[in-house]
Amino acid sequence: MTKSRPCPICRKPRSEEFAPFCSARCRDRDLASWFNEGYAIPGPAVEPEDELRDED
Ligand SMILES: [Zn+2]
C-alpha cells in the first residue's frame, strides 16, 4: 500500500536527497540518537520536538 516509506524519525515524506530521511536534520537526529545510546545519558533528551508535531 505504501510505495514510499516515510521518514523513520518524524514520519514526514522523505526526501530522495536525504533518504531514508526527510531532511539533513532528521539524518543528524538519527545519528544523535545513536550517540546518545552510546553515552547512555540519564533522563530524557532535552530538545525541541517540533519535528513531532504532525498529528494534525
Ligand atoms: Zn524527518
Side-chain angles (χ1 to χ4, degrees):
M1 293 179 69
T2 54
K3 286 185 292 186
S4 60
R5 289 184 294 181
C7 171
I9 304 300
C10 68
R11 303 301 179 185
K12 292 178 183 176
R14 71 180 183 182
S15 166
E16 287 296 326
E17 183 177 359
F18 300 106
F21 307 104
C22 71
S23 63
R25 186 174 180 174
C26 281
R27 185 181 59 190
D28 292 343
R29 195 186 183 95
D30 184 68
L31 287 174
S33 69
W34 279 96
F35 281 123
N36 287 340
E37 284 189 24
Y39 290 134
I41 56 175
V46 180
E47 59 182 335
E49 298 185 278
D50 55 289
E51 293 286 354
L52 301 178
R53 296 184 308 171
D54 59 350
E55 298 179 354
D56 56 7

